[in-house]
Amino acid sequence: PPSRRLRERGLRDTVAGTQALFVPGNPLTCEDAGDVNDDGALDLSDAIALLQYSFQGGPTPAPPHGACGPDLTFDALGCGGTPGCP
C-alpha cells in the first residue's frame, strides 16, 4: 500500500519513530515510513536524519516525501498502510 514517510511533521514524527524502536507495544504500521534515511533499517539514525532535515536544513528525505506513494528502494521493510494514504 502507499505510504507517507515519517517526514512530514518534524518532532512529532521523530517521537513516534523513536517510540517504535524503544517502547514495547508501539510498532509502526508502516515500517517503510519510518526508514527516513532509506537505508533499509529502522534505527536511531532515522530519528537523527528527520531532526536534521526538520530543524537544521539536512538532506531532503527520499520519496515518498510529502505525498503518498510507494518506497522504490527494495528492502525487507514492509508497510501495512499509513494514516491519510488510500
Side-chain angles (χ1 to χ4, degrees):
S3 68
R4 183 180 313 210
R5 291 195 194 272
L6 295 184
R7 300 174 173 176
E8 313 310 316
R9 301 174 304 206
L11 189 57
R12 183 176 178 183
D13 281 342
T14 302
V15 170
T18 304
Q19 283 180 331
L21 291 172
F22 298 109
V23 178
N26 249 346
L28 295 173
T29 57
C30 183
E31 290 180 334
D32 247 342
D35 185 17
V36 176
N37 61 8
D38 209 22
D39 66 354
L42 291 177
D43 52 34
L44 196 53
S45 67
D46 296 304
I48 292 168
L50 183 56
L51 287 170
Q52 287 176 331
Y53 167 72
S54 298
F55 300 109
Q56 294 183 334
T60 300
H65 169 68
C68 296
D71 179 0
L72 301 178
T73 304
F74 179 77
D75 56 42
L77 300 176
C79 184
T82 302
C85 291

